[in-house]
Amino acid sequence: MVMKITTKQFNLSKDDLKYEALVIGNYSNENTKEFKDYDKKTSGLLSEIVKEENFESNCAEVLVIRVPNAMKPKGKWKSLNKIILVGLGKKDDFATKQKRKAIAASIRQAKAINVSNVCFAHVTDYKLLAETAILVNYSFEKYKTKDKKEKTKTKAKAKKLEELIVLTDKALKKSDKDAISSGEIIADATCIARDLVWEPACTVTPTYLANQAKKIKAANFKIKVLDRAACQKLKMGAYLAVAQGSDQPPKFIEMVYSPKGKIKKHIAIVGKGVTFDSGGLSLKPSKAMEMMKEDMSGSAATIGVMNAIAKLQPKGVKITAIIAATENMPSGKAYRPGDVITAMNGKTIEVNNTDAEGRLTLADAVAYVSKANPDEIIDIATLTGACMVALGNVCAGLMTNDQDLLDRVKASAEKQGELMWQLPLYDEYRAKLKSSIADLINAGAGGQAGAQNGGLFIQEFIGDRKSASKKSKSGKQIPWLHIDIAGPCWYEDEHDWSPRGASGMPVRTLVDYVLSQA
Ligand code: BES
Ligand code: ZN
Ligand code: ZN
């Protein structure tokens, strides 16, 4: 359930505080104004407890203080049970990352003490507060029937944090209200992606993904879904080979956001949408297969980004989003190791491993979108276990044919606090993709540089950029960025401002990037 964010003009000396919990931030090297104000209002309760508990106000340190009636202003603050004191660290070090961590710590604490609403007394960045609070408050509990029953039985005890109230000195300006709503939109989009990844593969089929994409209804937004026959006509032999073993029909999803007025840039986003990756006939061992519902995380992020873009309606930037959705299953109809298939751009591929299926679906997806001649292509894919080995499970791998594009997206990632690190695409490794019977093999050889092998393979299907006259080709490949999210699509532990589980990465980075190009 998504938390509601409301604002309230509030005067501490006149108005009653009618909420269950209040968050007060304090620096480690000096007291904030709100600390001083509320300390006065509670007859010195805050400073007394801070001393008693040795609370140092280090960043994200939290202390829950029960407010005795005797300490409350006369006849007021009846419902206020707790003050959550949160450390902000040193005043001079208090930047975006520290702010996010402090907000996250406060919301986690508010959840832990079972209040249904919490208010913040002094806020400097409205967007950051709304966004971070929703991201941290997220949980996926749809299938927990036992917990639900227990919760209704003991309603008084187990509450859900449903509302965050921002207390403001003055009436909010329009720009502040817009900041809150854009924070909400971006966090909600991330939660849409998370929900899709959490949902099991028995629900999230290619058809389900297509239906989720169709739910986006907005101005300047169009969606088209191609079925198997339409993909056959387009000669998408690589994508369809992956799909042929499954009883679930493949769905090739195309979403286009095209605002009125001059288009400065056309960005293509391609998300890997393998709704379940069993490995196919090159079957995965059970442990490796257990989490393979997450193999559509790239497409989940793509749908998340398009949800946000449809609502934010940026001007000057066109987005084409592609998801070649399919399952990868073994069966009598499945593609085999050794099969030779032909992708949409005419290149032939010897399948040496049916578990390297993501790059086959992406091959046709990027070849297809290249025909629209976008200014750049960004693919997001849970592509290789090797990327996880290289960078661990909180960091995505970046590979590119255009350093400037990578640098721009990485700058957005850094702003958003999503970890990404560049891996090379060395020509030396292209030889590993050579086949003795076809143009390429899909899985590379040797078990080394696995993340790069995946990147180098996809690059073979990125089209050339057509020049402005549209007749002559410039001969240069379309700038392309590959984001391997095999690791960070799922956080094994709670991480910064994200709960354990589906992360929704890199929705926020890409929304930020698109907006920065508008
Ligand atoms: N979906 C997997 C990659 C993956 C692994 C995603 C772990 C998330 C967590 C991908 O399709 C795959 O199986 N890749 C193979 C490639 C190999 C056969 C060349 C891999 O990484 O082992
Ligand atoms: Zn696979
Ligand atoms: Zn896969």
Side-chain angles (χ1 to χ4, degrees):
M1 196 206 42
V2 176
M3 183 168 40
K4 200 166 89 184
I5 316 269
T6 47
T7 58
K8 178 134 184 71
Q9 202 176 336
F10 181 74
N11 182 324
L12 183 55
S13 49
K14 281 199 237 136
D15 299 331
D16 192 5
L17 200 61
K18 292 178 174 164
Y19 308 104
E20 292 173 47
L22 164 72
V23 174
I24 294 178
N26 202 25
Y27 297 120
S28 56
N29 54 341
E30 72 179 62
N31 287 340
T32 56
K33 181 172 178 305
E34 76 260 28
F35 182 92
K36 288 186 214 150
D37 289 351
Y38 282 89
D39 195 34
K40 214 163 134 198
K41 215 61 188 167
T42 53
S43 320
L45 174 72
L46 297 185
S47 43
E48 194 181 302
I49 296 216
V50 161
K51 247 193 228 144
E52 218 169 79
E53 300 283 334
N54 278 331
F55 185 77
E56 292 179 343
S57 295
N58 294 322
C59 184
E61 193 181 350
V62 277
L63 182 66
V64 179
I65 302 172
R66 197 181 63 80
V67 196
N69 283 336
M71 299 289 214
K72 293 179 182 177
K74 235 187 176 164
K76 285 182 173 172
W77 296 16
K78 285 207 177 103
S79 54
L80 187 79
N81 293 321
K82 305 275 169 59
I83 289 180
I84 299 170
L85 194 60
V86 59
L88 307 178
K90 282 198 187 129
K91 191 177 178 184
D92 292 341
D93 298 342
F94 194 52
T96 307
K97 189 166 185 183
Q98 287 73 13
K99 286 182 188 173
R100 285 195 196 274
K101 288 195 168 181
I103 298 163
S106 324
I107 297 291
R108 282 198 180 108
Q109 195 55 249
K111 278 178 87 169
I113 59 174
N114 271 334
V115 289
S116 57
N117 59 56
V118 60
C119 57
F120 279 67
H122 180 77
V123 176
T124 48
D125 189 335
Y126 294 106
K127 178 171 179 275
L128 202 73
L129 174 68
E131 188 182 293
T132 312
I134 294 171
L135 290 172
V136 178
N137 192 41
Y138 175 86
S139 59
F140 188 85
E141 285 166 26
K142 191 171 158 186
Y143 296 110
K144 299 248 183 198
T145 60
K146 194 166 155 263
D147 274 14
K148 257 189 213 160
K149 269 185 217 145
E150 270 168 17
K151 276 181 187 163
T152 34
K153 257 194 262 160
T154 54
K155 219 173 183 170
K157 267 193 181 166
K159 289 184 185 173
K160 288 209 103 192
L161 186 55
E162 286 168 357
E163 190 183 3
L164 184 158
I165 305 97
V166 187
L167 303 177
T168 63
D169 296 344
K170 297 181 219 122
L172 271 198
K173 288 186 284 191
K174 177 161 184 320
S175 58
D176 294 333
K177 284 188 188 152
D178 289 349
I180 292 179
S181 91
S182 75
E184 284 179 297
I185 288 171
I186 292 164
D188 289 351
T190 310
C191 295
I192 287 172
R194 288 173 174 176
D195 278 350
L196 283 169
V197 177
W198 269 104
E199 274 287 354
C202 57
T203 303
V204 179
T205 58
T207 308
Y208 184 93
L209 279 184
N211 289 339
Q212 293 307 300
K214 280 183 196 162
K215 273 193 181 169
I216 307 174
K217 298 238 162 26
N220 307 316
F221 188 87
K222 283 201 185 104
I223 171 158
K224 187 160 93 183
V225 179
L226 305 181
D227 62 7
R228 193 192 311 263
C231 296
Q232 266 157 355
K233 263 196 191 150
L234 289 165
K235 301 196 178 347
M236 294 184 178
Y239 164 52
L240 291 175
V242 178
Q244 80 191 34
S246 168
D247 288 341
Q248 291 294 336
K251 299 285 167 188
F252 190 93
I253 306 162
E254 177 173 12
M255 292 168 267
V256 181
Y257 168 74
S258 187
K260 294 185 183 70
K262 190 173 159 18
I263 302 290
K264 282 190 274 174
K265 192 174 245 188
H266 179 191
I267 303 172
I269 299 176
V270 179
K272 173 173 170 183
V274 174
T275 57
F276 187 73
D277 181 12
S278 69
L281 288 173
S282 313
L283 199 66
K284 284 183 186 293
S286 359
K287 205 68 207 139
M289 204 192 294
E290 202 177 301
M291 278 306 295
M292 278 305 127
K293 68 172 183 181
E294 75 186 19
D295 214 17
M296 37 58 71
S297 299
S299 67
T302 304
I303 291 174
V305 170
M306 292 314 269
N307 261 284
I309 296 301
K311 286 189 190 139
L312 295 168
Q313 294 278 320
K315 291 204 166 60
V317 57
K318 174 178 172 180
I319 321 276
T320 301
I322 304 287
I323 299 165
T326 177
E327 269 190 331
N328 184 26
M329 298 296 259
S331 79
K333 296 179 294 175
Y335 75 139
R336 292 153 287 252
D339 282 1
V340 174
I341 56 183
T342 308
M344 188 181 169
N345 70 347
K347 289 196 182 176
T348 56
I349 306 156
E350 177 191 1
V351 178
N352 64 327
N353 191 324
T354 63
D355 196 12
E357 83 300 336
R359 62 198 72 182
L360 296 174
T361 66
L362 291 168
D364 277 331
V366 299
Y368 174 89
V369 85
S370 293
K371 288 194 176 289
N373 199 31
D375 295 298
E376 49 202 38
I377 301 175
I378 300 173
D379 83 71
I380 324 163
T382 45
L383 206 75
T384 63
C387 197
M388 272 170 100
V389 174
L391 298 173
N393 91 324
V394 292
C395 179
L398 300 177
M399 285 150 261
T400 193
N401 63 1
D402 185 291
Q403 192 62 38
D404 288 346
L405 167 62
L406 183 142
D407 291 344
R408 289 194 297 274
V409 174
K410 189 149 186 286
S412 286
E414 269 159 24
K415 221 167 109 194
Q416 296 305 324
E418 294 191 315
L419 303 182
M420 299 188 184
W421 198 252
Q422 181 170 13
L423 297 172
L425 280 181
Y426 289 133
D427 272 337
E428 279 81 346
Y429 297 135
R430 279 182 213 282
K432 304 263 185 204
L433 293 175
K434 286 230 163 82
S435 160
S436 54
I437 181 174
D439 298 334
L440 296 159
I441 50 171
N442 70 328
Q448 293 170 346
Q452 282 187 70
N453 277 337
L456 288 166
F457 183 89
I458 297 167
Q459 193 184 354
E460 294 291 326
F461 301 88
I462 302 288
D464 284 345
R465 182 95 177 95
K466 288 185 212 95
S467 68
S469 73
K470 297 227 166 160
K471 275 184 198 136
S472 61
K473 279 187 172 185
S474 69
K476 191 179 173 296
Q477 240 183 358
I478 298 169
W480 154 77
L481 174 68
H482 167 53
I483 310 182
D484 191 331
I485 55 164
C489 68
W490 188 271
Y491 290 147
E492 314 238 314
D493 306 298
E494 193 172 88
H495 179 249
D496 286 349
W497 38 91
S498 194
R500 186 198 156 268
S503 67
M505 192 186 181
V507 171
R508 291 185 304 113
T509 294
L510 289 189
V511 173
D512 185 89
Y513 176 65
V514 168
L515 297 182
S516 76
Q517 302 300 297

